[in-house]
Amino acid sequence: MEFPAASAHRGLVPWLGLLLAVRESGFTPGPEYSGRETANPDGTLIIRKVIPRDLGLYLVVAVLPKGKIAMGFGRLNVYEPLIVPTLLASNTTVTENVDAVVLTCYTNAVLTFWLYNARNLPFTERMKLSWDHRTLTIDPVRREDAGNYQCKVSNLIDAFESAPVQLDVKY
């Protein structure tokens, strides 16, 4: 058998043994495995039913003839399925220069963007975002703020937009 990671660099190399170290927390194969992992003789690692706790650095060390060692590593990122966002407004009919409106995007996404009339929201000095970008406050509301608002969420796998919320501004 050969160590596949070595083949990309030096041609096929026979290997004598395999040591697998997984993640920064550093567990190695043995009884403490969750039962979802299988280390194969060809150097591959199969993890069934991946969960967020599986993310991290994975390292494979192959012991080659004459005591030489070859190593390969990679990072596993785990993304939870995105929940389609729900956008709620504190009020959808407001009075110009009197009221404020708070729009909150309910989602499990890390990245949240705001749309106004199906385009990127042009932010003004009256608009404030929460630290996680899921809450947009407009204070005070002006007539030019009237229109459809949406939040758009994404990760490296998916992207979704909320249904639009219509803001009416009375003057």
Side-chain angles (χ1 to χ4, degrees), residues 7-35:
S7 65
H9 302 288
R10 297 184 299 237
L12 297 177
V13 178
W15 59 284
L16 303 175
L18 179 68
L19 169 66
L20 178 69
V22 183
R23 298 192 304 206
E24 291 92 349
S25 61
F27 74 86
T28 55
E32 65 275 1
Y33 255 32
S34 69

Side-chain angles (χ1 to χ4, degrees), residues 28-63:
T28 55
E32 65 275 1
Y33 255 32
S34 69
R36 299 177 298 112
E37 303 87 354
T38 303
N40 294 318
D42 66 357
T44 60
L45 174 68
I46 297 174
I47 304 173
R48 290 175 298 287
K49 298 181 182 175
V50 173
I51 58 175
R53 193 176 65 215
D54 293 325
L55 78 90
L57 293 177
Y58 288 74
L59 172 69
V60 175
V61 179
V63 180

Side-chain angles (χ1 to χ4, degrees), residues 9-154:
H9 302 288
R10 297 184 299 237
L12 297 177
V13 178
W15 59 284
L16 303 175
L18 179 68
L19 169 66
L20 178 69
V22 183
R23 298 192 304 206
E24 291 92 349
S25 61
F27 74 86
T28 55
E32 65 275 1
Y33 255 32
S34 69
R36 299 177 298 112
E37 303 87 354
T38 303
N40 294 318
D42 66 357
T44 60
L45 174 68
I46 297 174
I47 304 173
R48 290 175 298 287
K49 298 181 182 175
V50 173
I51 58 175
R53 193 176 65 215
D54 293 325
L55 78 90
L57 293 177
Y58 288 74
L59 172 69
V60 175
V61 179
V63 180
L64 304 172
K66 298 183 183 177
K68 294 192 180 210
I69 294 179
M71 295 191 305
F73 66 92
R75 177 161 185 83
L76 175 64
N77 292 314
V78 179
Y79 298 95
E80 294 184 72
L82 280 183
I83 296 172
V84 176
T86 300
L87 181 59
L88 297 178
S90 59
N91 198 348
T92 56
T93 303
V94 292
T95 303
E96 182 178 35
N97 291 319
V98 173
D99 293 327
V101 68
V102 178
L103 299 160
T104 304
C105 184
Y106 293 93
T107 181
N108 66 337
V110 174
L111 298 174
T112 303
F113 305 94
W114 289 89
L115 303 175
Y116 172 71
N117 293 330
R119 296 179 177 233
N120 287 332
L121 174 66
F123 285 92
T124 70
E125 73 283 348
R126 296 173 296 102
M127 297 177 181
K128 305 237 180 328
L129 282 176
S130 63
W131 66 270
D132 61 2
H133 291 204
R134 292 183 190 169
T135 301
L136 170 67
T137 303
I138 307 172
D139 187 13
V141 176
R142 294 195 183 149
R143 67 182 76 181
E144 61 263 26
D145 299 323
N148 287 314
Y149 288 81
Q150 292 175 276
C151 59
K152 180 177 181 178
V153 299
S154 65

